Amino acid sequence: MFIMASIIQMMVENDPYATMREEEILEKLKRAREHCEEGKCREMDQVVSVLREKYGLHSDYCGGC
């Protein structure tokens, strides 16, 4: 019973759509700033560029336009 309760708790804690209190939002922003200061972040454009190259998606791809 304890294992199931802890699994459910982990699912609730990791739910990206769960409503957060103001304190939780501020804590996440604080951690994000700390990670960025430590160099643990990348610019979105760089990440998208790597993914496009990895999966053969080109910026001129129009998806059947």
Side-chain angles (χ1 to χ4, degrees):
M1 183 71 171
F2 176 73
I3 294 173
M4 181 60 81
S6 63
I7 291 172
I8 292 171
Q9 181 64 30
M10 285 187 338
M11 290 170 57
V12 169
E13 289 175 359
N14 294 324
D15 181 3
Y17 303 107
T19 303
M20 292 188 290
R21 295 185 323 270
E22 180 180 2
E23 296 84 21
E24 294 171 316
I25 294 170
L26 294 175
E27 180 61 33
K28 283 190 173 199
L29 287 171
K30 179 183 173 188
R31 276 186 270 144
R33 284 190 201 99
E34 290 169 355
H35 286 166
C36 193
E37 289 172 0
E38 295 169 3
K40 296 180 180 178
C41 62
R42 297 189 297 175
E43 292 292 326
M44 179 198 60
D45 292 341
Q46 294 172 344
V47 174
V48 170
S49 178
V50 169
L51 290 174
R52 286 180 185 272
E53 185 176 322
K54 180 177 180 178
Y55 293 104
L57 303 172
H58 303 284
S59 58
D60 60 340
Y61 177 71
C62 186
C65 300

